[in-house]
Amino acid sequence: MATDSNFEVDLTNCDREPIHELGAVQPFGFLLALSVDWLIRRVSANAEQYLGTPADDLLGTSAVPLLGEHAVHTLRNRLAMLRGNDAVERVFGLKIASGRSFDFALHMIGDTIVLEGEESRHEATTDVGSAIRAMMARLDETSDSASFYREGARQVRALTGFDRVMVYRFDRDGSGVVVAEAARAGIGSFLDLRYPASDIPQQARKLYVRTPFRIIADVNAEPVPVLPRLDETGAPIDLSLSVLRSVSPIHIEYLKNMGVGASLSISIIVEGQLWGLFACHHYSARCPSFERRSIAELFGQMFALKLESRERKELAAYEMAARFSSDRLLAAVAGDSTLLDNPEWLGTTMRETVPCDGVAIWLDGKVAYSGMTPPAEAFSAITRRLNAMAAGKIFSTDRLADTLPTASDYDDVAAGMLAIPISRRPRDYVLLFRQEKIRTVKWAGDPHKPAQLGPNGPRLTPRKSFELWSQEVRGRSEPFSNAELRVAEMLRASLIEVVLRLSDDAQEERRRFSERQELLIAELNHRVRNILSLIRGLVRQSLDPESDKRETIHLLEGRIESLARAHDQITQDNWSAAPLSRLIETEAAAYLGGKAGRVSIEGPAVMLHPQAFSTLALVFHELMTNSAKYGALSDNGTVNVVWQLDREGDLEIEWFERGGPAVQPPKRQGFGTTIITRSIPYDLGGRADVCYPLTGLEASFCVPARHIEIDGNRVLGPAPTPQPTAGEEVAKLLSGVVLLVEDSLIIAMDAEDILTRLGARRVVTAGTLAQARDEIGREAFQAAVLDVNLGAETSLPLADDLAAAGVPFLFATGYGEQLKLPPEHADALVTQKPYTLASISRALTSLLSM
């Protein structure tokens, strides 16, 4: 093949590849490009496979008869919901004129509607609302960044089923490191491996921000061209936002060199910047359903929001502490200006906010220093180089020799430097130094791959080896973080005040600086409080209201926590009746915290059946919310809840608010008011009356006798004591590998944590009979926990296999006493769901002692 001999092959060549204009799509779906009046401008060559009409025959025709009036109406409505240039809407399970159902993604490029479809697939899945809530809760339970990343990788792997899921974080230089991993057993680990910046070209990074989700279903699949390739202006179709966009041949070669058969990536975007990726690999072709992929994309957005919240909280705490240190420094020097000439004192004070190994003060051409610093004769050269930079700005580097070549003579003691200018004329500085940090970087292959032409033209050939390649890094210090630079700017303002001897102008500057800091903290608090509201908005925009998820949408609309609390209380006693008093106390405590004592209750020991308990949980949640916002609990008032049984055995409940602001009837009936006034009549056949006297809201409810029961022997005290938490010591009953067979994602993850706390060295999880048998063939297990019902199959045949292999096992079930085991397993141990530490511990104690 002829090439241009003048073409320079370097690491930027891949950055110029037009990966968004390849003019083809992956074959697991089809593409239609439509005019605004729904005429077909372009079509993928595989359209006949999905739509029954050859691609050439579709060009120029109307898409309305092809898709059907109902489908086009639905798609038009979703187009109206597009917000922003990079918005993509989704419709799941939409039936077209041929009777086939498809999942669609649609977006606009200029005046062109791009419609992509793939056949709908029904995958067994956990209720979306419950899964999202559980995933959020599990992220919140993590104690540090490492466990937060690891939990994110686990959950993405559980959602997608890929062999390997990595959390990949970008560094300042564009390279990336694998900070967490969840992988199938037996395929090795990429944890802590670093990849050079050239592995992800710049245009790919931009697309990761525009389109946060990308799947390559089969690296061996032939791309399907979009016809015609060029439009009347000679331009190819822009597939930047396409779900099906085909893959660069160079990237396909890269994946094949890694042995990857399918890949999936979810962008982690923090404050509008690409923080990193969930990078997923599968070693054969794999394409989860569009709906499952959309849930994974939503999780990626929630993960990023949680990550941003965590980082902001840490930053706020760090900067607050730095402010206090800065104020102490200022106050001390204001009382004794000679302290500024004492580098030992200044170094001790500065290290409290910006860790360093040495401090130097350059004032009026003289230097004082303490700790590990360059030699005295080097400071003139350092300050001259700083004087050539922009005035009044801090400067930092982790390799001073890159800025000042002569600094290589002393980079073992002062490799990195942070310079804080503290005057304008003459230039004075406080210099913080960090010593060399010799470290070994583990690369996934040699990052300095040779520049050579490849089979795809004058471009770099992706490296073929990804074996561990270690590199010793010298002459660099630990970099100064962005947070430390912001603190340095804060210190600069304080030190300027000291150098200017606390003049009036300096005091005014400090006041303005303090106000900016207060505004920053206030904005941070505001953002943290709004995180959950943002997530709720994301969920609402990502789910289709017409796809039979109305109950999920209601759960996600602010009432999910109240229902969750009610559900927890009901399931404590195997879905039996629960006390009304506990419902009200729990809701008050959850909503009011330490002010819950302002809600008084009085009445007999009444138990509510599950349906009534859930309904009243929503009603009392709304009453508490409204009272806290507008009623007695918003002021210094109180709420009294009184109930009794009438002659027919019906439950009469009275709600009185007193001591709050004057009450006015609402001008319109919102969804919360609807819940209060209609839930009990509609769901329970009872009665609900609400009135608004000036003295406070009053409500009266009647719950029919069939929904309640009286149990005089039952103790109606606080909720049962919870099981041991993550920080408590538990007996280590296990020591080896345990097999867990469970078809529910969330339940499996909880059970895995319990088994790990009980000492399991590793827990191997399988969701189907076939997967479990494969794991048995690969591992030797100490014990096994088998969910009896696996959807379309049971784990009973697996129990036979384990018994033959001599592996002790126990069954888990949610059927309660109704479970009937076959005679050969009639004596097997059975534990009831939900899994708890106590129940699993008791069952394993019995199992391992047999």
Side-chain angles (χ1 to χ4, degrees), residues 569-621:
Q569 294 177 68
I570 295 168
T571 54
Q572 284 175 0
D573 294 304
N574 297 319
W575 202 253
S576 62
L580 170 61
S581 59
R582 186 185 299 167
L583 184 156
I584 301 172
E585 290 168 351
T586 303
E587 192 62 45
Y591 200 88
L592 302 176
K595 300 179 181 179
R598 291 166 58 189
V599 178
S600 65
I601 62 174
E602 180 181 353
V606 174
M607 314 291 291
L608 297 173
H609 291 168
Q611 180 185 0
F613 198 94
S614 296
T615 299
L616 263 68
L618 276 178
V619 171
F620 280 111
H621 173 77

Side-chain angles (χ1 to χ4, degrees), residues 268-567:
I268 303 173
I269 300 172
V270 175
E271 296 185 334
Q273 302 296 318
L274 187 62
W275 181 94
L277 301 168
F278 284 105
C280 311
H281 289 169
H282 204 69
Y283 294 94
S284 60
R286 180 166 182 78
C287 183
S289 70
F290 192 21
E291 187 172 7
R292 178 61 66 89
R293 302 195 314 263
S294 296
I295 296 173
E297 178 183 359
L298 172 61
F299 173 75
Q301 293 170 323
M302 293 191 299
F303 180 90
L305 286 169
K306 285 289 186 183
L307 176 61
E308 180 177 342
S309 174
R310 281 174 173 250
E311 291 185 344
R312 282 180 173 269
K313 286 179 180 178
E314 292 173 0
L315 174 62
Y318 174 65
E319 291 190 351
M320 183 65 74
R323 264 188 77 197
F324 292 151
S325 296
S326 175
D327 290 343
R328 288 198 305 271
L329 183 151
L330 185 62
V333 177
D336 182 3
S337 60
T338 62
L339 288 174
L340 195 59
D341 298 324
N342 184 343
E344 294 287 348
W345 175 86
L346 185 61
T348 301
T349 304
M350 297 288 280
R351 289 187 188 97
E352 293 180 5
T353 53
V354 182
C356 58
D357 301 301
V359 175
I361 308 168
W362 178 272
L363 287 175
D364 297 327
K366 299 179 181 178
V367 64
Y369 48 89
S370 171
M372 301 184 71
T373 66
E377 60 271 17
F379 284 100
S380 294
I382 294 174
T383 55
R384 284 198 306 271
R385 183 69 185 90
L386 291 173
N387 290 341
M389 300 180 184
K393 294 186 178 180
I394 62 174
F395 169 77
S396 74
T397 177
D398 65 342
R399 182 173 172 80
L400 184 56
D402 289 342
T403 303
L404 185 67
T406 56
S408 60
D409 295 339
Y410 48 81
D411 62 8
D412 56 333
V413 294
M417 181 186 73
L418 172 61
I420 305 175
I422 57 174
S423 65
R424 292 186 177 272
R425 190 177 302 168
R427 298 280 179 83
D428 297 323
Y429 300 95
V430 171
L431 306 174
L432 309 182
F433 295 97
R434 286 180 176 173
Q435 68 180 107
E436 176 186 44
K437 182 179 180 180
I438 302 174
R439 58 189 183 274
T440 299
V441 177
K442 298 187 293 182
W443 294 92
D446 185 354
H448 311 294
K449 56 185 179 184
Q452 58 183 359
L453 297 179
N456 296 296
R459 306 170 187 174
L460 281 175
T461 297
R463 64 184 186 276
K464 294 180 173 58
S465 173
F466 293 85
E467 295 296 325
L468 176 64
W469 193 89
S470 297
Q471 177 186 28
E472 186 178 71
V473 177
R474 288 181 171 271
R476 291 187 180 275
S477 71
E478 184 71 27
F480 292 92
S481 69
N482 290 331
E484 290 169 339
L485 296 183
R486 283 192 286 269
V487 167
E489 181 63 35
M490 182 190 308
L491 292 171
R492 184 186 73 87
S494 297
L495 290 171
I496 285 177
E497 294 181 3
V498 174
V499 173
L500 296 177
R501 302 298 186 260
L502 300 177
S503 67
D504 291 341
D505 291 341
Q507 291 183 40
E508 180 63 18
E509 171 66 20
R510 183 173 183 274
R511 186 187 65 80
R512 290 196 298 267
F513 185 83
S514 178
E515 289 177 351
R516 289 196 296 271
Q517 288 299 115
E518 293 293 344
L519 288 174
L520 173 64
I521 294 170
E523 176 63 19
L524 171 63
N525 290 335
H526 174 73
R527 289 290 299 274
V528 171
R529 287 194 299 269
N530 283 334
I531 285 295
L532 292 179
S533 296
L534 291 173
I535 293 170
R536 183 176 59 205
L538 288 172
V539 174
R540 185 164 56 248
Q541 292 295 324
S542 299
L543 296 179
D544 178 12
E546 299 183 5
S547 62
D548 296 329
K549 293 186 176 65
R550 300 184 187 275
E551 181 180 352
T552 299
I553 294 174
H554 286 305
L555 291 175
L556 292 170
E557 287 291 337
R559 281 80 189 179
I560 189 170
E561 290 301 331
S562 177
L563 289 177
R565 287 190 293 271
H567 183 273

Side-chain angles (χ1 to χ4, degrees), residues 679-734:
S679 293
I680 293 176
Y682 190 90
D683 292 339
L684 308 179
R687 187 188 73 250
D689 299 305
V690 181
C691 58
Y692 302 91
L694 287 177
T695 55
L697 182 143
E698 297 179 1
S700 174
F701 308 103
C702 178
V703 179
R706 64 179 179 275
H707 297 293
I708 64 176
E709 64 181 62
I710 301 295
D711 187 355
N713 297 323
R714 191 169 187 130
V715 177
L716 301 183
T721 302
Q723 299 299 330
T725 61
E728 297 182 44
E729 292 294 330
V730 295
K732 303 298 183 182
L733 303 175
L734 301 166

Side-chain angles (χ1 to χ4, degrees), residues 183-203:
R184 173 171 58 84
I187 61 173
S189 175
F190 290 173
L191 186 62
D192 295 331
L193 289 186
R194 184 173 293 274
Y195 293 76
S198 57
D199 277 17
I200 303 180
Q202 287 301 318
Q203 78 274 32

